[in-house]
């Protein structure tokens, strides 16, 4: 077998392993979210009170500082699960580019795994920040009775912020990096300390993905973090933005829709 044919055979072998694994992980995450939402603890997906009752409350009491630490860790885990369901399918071009560049090395499979792990760590970090934001909003609502009686104001503010971000330079800068995974991998892959580089590459690309999609992900707080229907809609929107030839042109129309939605909420409650 010629060298190009052998290389093509190896690449095809890797595709047969990692593409089903990636899509299977995403599908499993969707199934777990669906099952979780239908248990008595489905309220946790809605960022409900982790300390109120059930196993999470018992764990909060058993662990030193558990009322802070346990909700933080469980919220991060829930966010990673949501990320695996919604975002992993959009990383296929990244894995494709890295697969071509790193193919042939003895640790190829491990490097691909570390790439995915770095990507998920970036979203897990954002999950921790999102949890902090949610806790801050709860404290604000508790201290301002007007907000407690008019919860729609917070939802409208989140939707408006997501709409405005669609027009920002940061949105387009991060989106362009997400849409050019081959150029990104070539620019950042140094070929030294392979395992560390693979993890950092996934982390770096995940950070750009967070920078591109964070505002859309925060819409889950406005529409219901446990709503699988809204998760699917947002996952499709982000996949189209990142992976289709015309996806870059969707950002502003999506922003217009979100701002129009905000105006509708305000006028309906005014």
């Amino acid at each position: 077998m010629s060298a190009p044919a052998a290389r093509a055979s190896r690449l095809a072998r890797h595709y047969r392993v990692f593409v089903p694994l990636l899509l299977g992980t995403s599908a499993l995450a969707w199934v777990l979210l669906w099952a979780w939402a239908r248990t008595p603890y489905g309220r946790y997906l809605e960022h409900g009170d982790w300390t109120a009752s059930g196993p999470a409350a018992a764990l909060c009491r058993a662990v030193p500082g558990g009322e802070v630490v346990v909700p933080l860790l469980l919220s991060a885990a829930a966010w990673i699960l949501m990320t695996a369901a919604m975002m992993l399918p959009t990383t296929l071009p990244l894995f494709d580019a890295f697969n071509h560049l790193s193919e042939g090395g003895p640790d190829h499979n491990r490097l691909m795994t570390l790439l995915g792990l770095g990507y998920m760590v970036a979203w897990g970090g954002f999950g921790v920040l999102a949890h902090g934001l949610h806790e801050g909003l709860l404290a604000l609502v508790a201290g301002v009775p007007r907000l407690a009686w008019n919860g729609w104001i917070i939802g409208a503010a989140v939707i408006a912020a997501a709409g405005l971000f669609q027009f920002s330079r940061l949105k387009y800068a991060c989106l362009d990096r997400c849409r050019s995974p081959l150029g990104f991998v070539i620019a950042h892959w140094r070929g030294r300390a392979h395992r560390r580089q693979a993890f950092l590459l996934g982390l770096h690309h995940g950070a750009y993905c967070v920078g591109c999609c964070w505002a859309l992900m925060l819409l889950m707080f406005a529409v219901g973090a446990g709503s699988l229907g809204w998760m699917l809609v947002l996952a499709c929107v982000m996949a189209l933005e990142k992976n289709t030839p015309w996806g870059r042109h969707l950002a502003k129309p999506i922003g217009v829709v979100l701002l129009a939605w905000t105006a509708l909420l305000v006028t309906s409650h005014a």
Side-chain angles (χ1 to χ4, degrees), residues 165-166 168-176 211-212 216 241 251:
F165 184 72
Q166 293 294 108
S168 69
R169 291 183 179 179
L170 178 60
K171 166 73 178 188
Y172 282 93
C174 293
L175 181 59
D176 287 342
C212 165
L216 291 176
E241 272 193 344

Side-chain angles (χ1 to χ4, degrees), residues 88-224:
L88 276 184
T90 72
T91 63
L92 283 174
L94 172 66
F95 277 88
D96 180 40
F98 187 74
N99 186 44
H100 280 82
L101 193 66
S102 64
E103 183 272 331
D107 286 344
H108 181 77
N109 290 343
R110 186 170 296 175
L111 295 181
M112 295 281 280
T113 302
L114 287 170
L115 177 73
L117 180 61
Y119 182 87
M120 295 303 297
V121 166
W123 275 104
F126 176 69
V128 171
L129 293 176
H131 173 75
L133 174 63
H134 181 255
E135 292 299 307
L137 285 175
L138 289 180
L140 178 63
V141 169
V144 182
R146 182 178 178 83
L147 286 178
W149 288 101
N150 296 278
W152 66 269
I153 295 176
I154 295 177
V158 171
I159 296 169
L164 291 172
F165 184 72
Q166 293 294 108
F167 297 90
S168 69
R169 291 183 179 179
L170 178 60
K171 166 73 178 188
Y172 282 93
C174 293
L175 181 59
D176 287 342
R177 297 296 183 94
C178 289
R179 289 177 52 81
S180 305
L182 180 59
F184 182 88
V185 172
I186 291 173
H188 292 85
W189 180 250
R190 300 290 180 264
R192 301 185 299 272
H194 289 178
R195 296 178 186 179
R196 177 175 175 272
Q197 283 277 315
F199 176 81
L200 291 178
L201 184 66
L203 184 67
H204 198 175
H205 193 272
Y208 278 112
C209 188
V210 170
C212 165
C213 302
W214 68 269
L216 291 176
M217 287 292 280
L218 285 185
L219 286 175
M220 293 304 301
F221 287 108
V223 300

